[in-house]
Amino acid sequence: MRYRRVPDETVRRLSVYLRGLLFLAKQGRQNISSRDLADFLGVNPWQIRKDLSYFGGFGTPGVGYKTEKLTKQIKKILKLDSVHKTALVGVGNLGSAVLAYPGFRIYGFNIAAAFDTDPKKIGRKVKNITIEDVSNLQTLKRRKINLAIITVPRDAAQQTADALVKAGVKGILNFSPCHITVPKKVKVITLDIARVLARLPYYMSAS
Amino acid sequence: MRYRRVPDETVRRLSVYLRGLLFLAKQGRQNISSRDLADFLGVNPWQIRKDLSYFGGFGTPGVGYKTEKLTKQIKKILKLDSVHKTALVGVGNLGSAVLAYPGFRIYGFNIAAAFDTDPKKIGRKVKNITIEDVSNLQTLKRRKINLAIITVPRDAAQQTADALVKAGVKGILNFSPCHITVPKKVKVITLDIARVLARLPYYMSAS
DNA sequence: CTATGTGAATTTATTCACAGCA
DNA sequence: TGCTGTGAATAAATTCACATAG
């Protein structure tokens, strides 16, 4: 099993497990079984074990997993064991909130640059970051930033992505509500917040 | 095929198709084939047709789909054919951005109430909405609000959810980075923004 | 001749069940 | 005995291929 292709769903779930482990480790928990972690996260224990088995055995039969050790292992698998300098493009309402969002830090993300087209915003400081003109995007390569967050209006999303790719960016989190086309060596995850909310009514029982 | 259980993934993708259709309809496009829609969205045409087939045939062989008609059909399937009054709990950085986010409107969501615990925020107006004390959550039932967005800190997420459920809420979009437990008649979608970003490095080719 | 809709084939993912280790 | 790790079994989703309708 160890050498088969890893399902995307497994990768997604590993980030869920990591979230739980980071929390439980901070609480001082040293050991955890797949069942306990599963209960905490609202998932199945055998799913956790199967997902981990794609990458090797990290636990001790009869005991469980060492929280710290498993945390490190999953971080390594997800390449979250080093700091990722990240750029943000589009400092509007949502962009500002994302820029100020404290939650990225625990995963090792460091938003190190912010860009906009609005002359009124350029030069302003937000969270110790000076907003730059998007024409400076080309500097990202030299600054070793290869991850970016797009929070620009829909019409600007594709051209922003194009500029980011040209600047050597390898991964994009796209908050714009549209598909963007990039070379296949670049990974894009589109996160359309309204679209997530739009899934809820389908499941809601009649009130 | 028509009477088999509809996969969750199909429901998720319908919201993607709807997003594309809403855009294309606004552009004045009257007809569209599964291939054209697929190309626009970056998906497969046969996936679109298969997903739609769970609910019946909406297209015309040899021609395609009428954009307006298909839009309406999908809205109906997703129960997005009426306005959904929505409450938001937690008017912090992220909550404020979500409150101001214009993108919910196109799907028929109307954020009609906002709550917080901070006395300094209560009473303030944001986007024509007066922030209320969370102890007023119980009024949601009477106000016919059965959808809610949670943007409170992690430690308050579960108790917020409990209060929302008690207030008759049937669907919750949870931005807090934790699993929340609710009765199974209530649908929760957890959207942990940092966790989405955390999936990117795994896929990024070495720079 | 074009594009839908859908059974069937294929691929993929989930769940089970238990061998094996501490 | 308790819990992991993983082949095997089951279930589900995706893809194909084509009959059918306009």
Side-chain angles (χ1 to χ4, degrees):
Chain A
M1 174 64 69
R2 195 158 306 174
Y3 298 104
R4 276 184 52 191
R5 200 186 79 80
V6 177
D8 282 355
E9 277 296 291
T10 290
V11 175
R12 188 188 60 74
R13 284 189 299 256
L14 284 178
S15 73
V16 178
Y17 307 156
L18 178 56
R19 179 60 101 175
L21 287 164
L22 286 167
F23 181 80
L24 293 164
K26 201 186 272 179
Q27 302 276 308
R29 180 128 188 194
Q30 305 211 321
N31 295 280
I32 194 160
S33 67
S34 57
R35 168 180 283 276
D36 287 348
L37 183 58
D39 287 348
F40 180 70
L41 295 170
V43 300
N44 298 83
W46 51 82
Q47 184 81 78
I48 293 178
R49 297 203 301 274
K50 172 61 97 181
D51 285 335
L52 293 176
S53 82
Y54 285 105
F55 304 95
F58 304 124
T60 311
V63 179
Y65 304 89
K66 287 196 179 298
T67 317
E68 285 284 0
K69 188 183 162 197
L70 186 56
T71 303
K72 281 206 179 101
Q73 304 274 20
I74 296 180
K75 272 191 177 176
K76 194 173 176 187
I77 292 167
L78 296 178
K79 299 191 193 163
L80 295 173
D81 51 350
S82 61
V83 172
H84 288 277
K85 288 170 77 179
T86 307
L88 181 140
V89 190
V91 193
N93 235 311
L94 184 60
S96 301
V98 171
L99 203 47
Y101 191 65
F104 297 119
R105 218 171 147 244
I106 200 169
Y107 286 114
F109 296 107
N110 169 25
I111 303 187
F115 299 86
D116 208 295
T117 50
D118 186 346
K120 288 199 284 288
K121 288 177 186 164
I122 295 165
R124 257 184 42 207
K125 269 203 167 190
V126 181
K127 279 265 186 175
N128 293 327
I129 296 162
T130 304
I131 301 173
E132 303 167 54
D133 192 299
V134 286
S135 63
N136 284 10
L137 278 179
Q138 53 189 25
T139 63
L140 291 179
K141 189 172 268 171
R142 151 160 37 101
R143 293 152 83 182
K144 309 259 189 248
I145 298 178
N146 59 5
L147 244 176
I149 300 172
I150 293 181
T151 42
V152 302
R154 145 178 248 147
D155 291 345
Q158 183 61 57
Q159 67 197 70
T160 301
D162 293 344
L164 287 168
V165 170
K166 201 178 278 183
V169 162
K170 294 286 191 298
I172 295 173
L173 177 56
N174 172 37
F175 280 92
S176 296
C178 57
H179 170 72
I180 55 182
T181 304
V182 294
K184 63 174 177 297
K185 58 170 185 179
V186 178
K187 175 74 176 180
V188 175
I189 296 180
T190 293
L191 175 43
D192 181 346
I193 291 177
R195 216 170 63 194
V196 177
L197 184 59
R199 268 156 51 202
L200 270 181
Y202 177 86
Y203 296 100
M204 287 164 58
S205 48
S207 57
Chain B
M1 173 67 65
R2 194 159 305 177
Y3 297 106
R4 276 183 51 190
R5 200 187 78 80
V6 178
D8 282 355
E9 277 296 290
T10 290
V11 175
R12 189 188 60 74
R13 283 189 299 258
L14 284 178
S15 72
V16 178
Y17 307 156
L18 179 56
R19 179 61 99 174
L21 287 164
L22 286 167
F23 180 81
L24 292 164
K26 200 186 274 178
Q27 301 277 309
R29 179 129 189 192
Q30 306 210 322
N31 296 282
I32 194 161
S33 67
S34 58
R35 169 181 282 275
D36 287 348
L37 183 60
D39 287 348
F40 180 70
L41 295 170
V43 300
N44 298 82
W46 50 83
Q47 183 80 78
I48 294 177
R49 297 203 301 273
K50 172 61 94 179
D51 285 334
L52 293 175
S53 81
Y54 285 105
F55 304 96
F58 303 124
T60 311
V63 180
Y65 304 89
K66 288 196 178 298
T67 318
E68 286 284 2
K69 188 183 164 198
L70 185 56
T71 303
K72 282 207 179 99
Q73 304 274 20
I74 296 181
K75 272 191 178 177
K76 193 173 178 188
I77 292 167
L78 295 177
K79 299 193 193 162
L80 295 172
D81 52 350
S82 61
V83 172
H84 288 277
K85 288 170 76 178
T86 307
L88 181 140
V89 189
V91 193
N93 235 311
L94 184 61
S96 301
V98 171
L99 203 49
Y101 191 65
F104 297 120
R105 220 171 146 244
I106 200 169
Y107 286 114
F109 296 107
N110 169 24
I111 302 187
F115 300 86
D116 207 295
T117 49
D118 185 348
K120 286 198 286 287
K121 288 177 186 163
I122 295 164
R124 257 183 41 206
K125 268 204 169 189
V126 181
K127 279 263 187 177
N128 293 328
I129 296 161
T130 304
I131 301 173
E132 303 168 53
D133 192 298
V134 286
S135 63
N136 283 11
L137 278 177
Q138 55 191 24
T139 62
L140 291 179
K141 190 172 266 170
R142 154 162 33 102
R143 293 152 82 181
K144 309 258 188 251
I145 297 178
N146 60 4
L147 244 178
I149 300 172
I150 293 181
T151 42
V152 302
R154 146 179 247 147
D155 290 345
Q158 183 61 56
Q159 68 197 68
T160 301
D162 293 345
L164 287 168
V165 169
K166 201 178 279 182
V169 162
K170 294 287 192 297
I172 295 173
L173 177 56
N174 172 38
F175 280 91
S176 296
C178 57
H179 170 72
I180 56 182
T181 305
V182 295
K184 62 175 179 296
K185 57 171 188 182
V186 178
K187 174 75 176 179
V188 175
I189 296 180
T190 293
L191 175 43
D192 180 345
I193 292 177
R195 216 171 62 195
V196 177
L197 185 59
R199 267 158 50 204
L200 270 181
Y202 177 86
Y203 295 100
M204 287 164 58
S205 47
S207 54

